[in-house]
Amino acid sequence: MPKLSIIVPVYKVEQYIHKCIDSILNQTYTDFELILVDDGSPDNCGKICDEYAQKDERIRVIHKENGGLSDARNAGIDVATGEVIGFIDSDDWIEKCMYEEMLNYMKENSLDIVCADTNQVKEGKVKFKPRYSKNKIWSGSEAVCEIMNGTLDNAAWNKIYKRNVIGDVRYPKGRIYEDVATTYKFVFNSPKVGYISKPYYNYLKRKGSIVASGFNSKSRYDCFLGYRERLNFAKEHNLSCVNDCELLALETALAVLTAFYANSEDETSERFVDISNFINKYFHLTYSLFK
């Protein structure tokens, strides 16, 4: 099996980080390097990372100034030595057999990316709904449309990637919903993509997080930017999912507009005008209809 690099951005997760790291160190697949990227965390996370590194030689710690999740992931990618790369968020945890079974599936089917399913964990309750009823294998062109039409999720962390499909693609610094703007590029670079209908990844839905806030203007606008970029990408590459991309971009734009009104966004602001122009373009409506 190829050596694996697991990248974990770390920021203000002192009460969760032990469970995350322990779940990685307890994997049945052991030939990996764990890159903990301390993104200028103001709590004890940096110290905790260093303590783990002293106990396990597979762990490397990067301490850097705070630059956000995208910047931390990028820092990890830049130093990773593995042939295959995986990402874990530091408040989540994974099942013991995750990497062994995903790497086996990758090897047996000559895959460039393997996707898995996710448990949603909220207030101690676990919710699981499979994306597909059985395992799947797609060509790259098929898989990118599965991503772009919203059937296959954008998440970085329930997947493994051969490093050549990542190449020089990096996450957009400073954005929320950075996966929307990035994962499809990895998939587009992949000749063959697989999916395992099994929830290896446990995603913690925390109260008060930026993404969890339904009317957070920045998160919604950042999400829209990703969907608009995907639409432009689909048009540029003559993909069959252009209509799906248009629909998702429009739905997101309308959600952004709702958030703007809820937060009394300045109607002359650059991003308000940007959203209004996009909606008007596709609906052929005047701005006054949205007032």
Side-chain angles (χ1 to χ4, degrees), residues 248-288:
L248 284 169
L250 280 169
E251 289 176 348
T252 309
L254 290 169
V256 175
L257 198 62
T258 301
F260 282 173
Y261 282 128
N263 291 285
S264 300
E265 176 86 9
D266 180 1
E267 297 183 14
T268 65
S269 71
E270 183 177 347
R271 63 184 189 176
F272 193 102
V273 172
D274 184 31
I275 286 291
S276 299
N277 288 341
F278 182 84
I279 293 172
N280 290 338
K281 176 182 177 181
Y282 281 95
F283 277 115
H284 307 290
L285 298 173
T286 61
Y287 162 68
S288 62

Side-chain angles (χ1 to χ4, degrees), residues 231-251:
L231 171 58
N232 292 336
F233 187 93
K235 288 180 176 179
E236 179 184 350
H237 294 279
N238 295 314
L239 299 178
S240 62
C241 49
V242 170
N243 290 341
D244 291 322
C245 291
E246 286 184 345
L247 179 60
L248 284 169
L250 280 169
E251 289 176 348

Side-chain angles (χ1 to χ4, degrees), residues 74 77-78 163-171 186 189:
N74 293 341
I77 293 171
D78 289 341
R163 69 175 302 119
N164 64 291
V165 306
I166 292 177
D168 59 359
V169 176
R170 294 296 183 268
Y171 290 91
F186 299 158
N189 290 338

Side-chain angles (χ1 to χ4, degrees), residues 187-199:
V187 173
F188 183 79
N189 290 338
S190 305
K192 203 173 178 185
V193 177
Y195 160 87
I196 301 177
S197 183
K198 188 173 180 179

Side-chain angles (χ1 to χ4, degrees), residues 100-250:
E100 181 175 17
E101 294 189 7
M102 292 179 76
L103 285 164
N104 281 335
Y105 195 63
M106 173 177 276
K107 183 178 180 180
E108 290 166 1
N109 297 284
S110 301
L111 303 173
D112 302 278
I113 293 177
V114 176
C115 315
D117 255 316
T118 304
N119 285 321
Q120 305 281 335
V121 184
K122 184 177 181 180
E123 298 177 352
K125 296 181 180 179
V126 178
K127 183 179 179 181
F128 170 60
K129 183 179 180 181
R131 288 276 175 172
Y132 306 89
S133 60
K134 60 182 180 180
N135 293 354
K136 295 277 189 178
I137 294 177
W138 301 284
S139 68
S141 59
E142 292 170 334
V144 77
C145 283
E146 292 293 307
I147 283 277
M148 286 192 165
N149 67 22
T151 308
L152 183 61
D153 68 276
N154 301 286
W157 27 255
N158 57 1
K159 301 172 178 66
I160 56 173
Y161 316 79
K162 286 187 177 176
R163 69 175 302 119
N164 64 291
V165 306
I166 292 177
D168 59 359
V169 176
R170 294 296 183 268
Y171 290 91
K173 185 176 178 179
R175 275 204 216 168
I176 304 167
Y177 285 104
E178 69 293 329
D179 297 347
V180 172
T182 311
T183 303
Y184 74 93
K185 295 178 182 177
F186 299 158
V187 173
F188 183 79
N189 290 338
S190 305
K192 203 173 178 185
V193 177
Y195 160 87
I196 301 177
S197 183
K198 188 173 180 179
Y200 294 117
Y201 193 95
N202 297 287
Y203 172 72
L204 181 64
K205 300 183 74 172
R206 287 194 280 159
K207 284 185 177 180
S209 69
I210 294 175
V211 171
S213 177
F215 287 100
N216 182 280
S217 297
K218 173 173 172 51
S219 65
R220 286 198 170 186
Y221 184 68
D222 283 357
C223 187
F224 163 73
L225 291 177
Y227 280 121
R228 181 169 61 185
E229 288 168 2
R230 292 189 350 175
L231 171 58
N232 292 336
F233 187 93
K235 288 180 176 179
E236 179 184 350
H237 294 279
N238 295 314
L239 299 178
S240 62
C241 49
V242 170
N243 290 341
D244 291 322
C245 291
E246 286 184 345
L247 179 60
L248 284 169
L250 280 169

